[in-house]
Amino acid sequence: QVQLVESGGGLVQPGESLRLSCLASGFTISGAAMRWYRQALGKGRELVAASTAAPDNINYTDSMKGRFTISRDNGKNTVFLQMNSLKPEDTAVYYCNAAGVPYWDSGSGRTKLRDVWGQGTLVTVSS
């Protein structure tokens, strides 16, 4: 089964840190571009960070630079998001996303690509 499972969310105070994990199954992340999104209450999904397949190319949303870091452990098939100096405005559901994951389309009889989304993990930053 192709899926992503996020973990590591929780309640933290402003200024503290969290590390989110995204465990992939059914495919290998080494061949996929990985992204972290977040969605705050009443807002749309916002890109947090992105990491392409090798050769790695990492991009961050400007507001996250210097505080958030995306990384991979290909051996564990896991993507991480290290979040430091958390602020109340970082409160959101954080989603892991894999772009360009191959799957078999029986209708066309060909392999196609699709995005895979995790179900999200809630991060709450509050004093």
Side-chain angles (χ1 to χ4, degrees), residues 87-106:
K87 305 174 181 179
E89 52 264 42
D90 295 320
T91 297
V93 177
Y94 285 73
Y95 297 91
C96 182
N97 167 262
V101 178
Y103 72 100
W104 177 256
D105 179 53
S106 59

Side-chain angles (χ1 to χ4, degrees), residues 48-70:
V48 175
S51 175
T52 64
D56 198 32
N57 187 2
I58 300 174
N59 295 289
Y60 300 97
T61 301
D62 287 342
S63 63
M64 316 302 170
K65 291 181 179 179
R67 297 193 300 121
F68 289 11
T69 303
I70 187 172

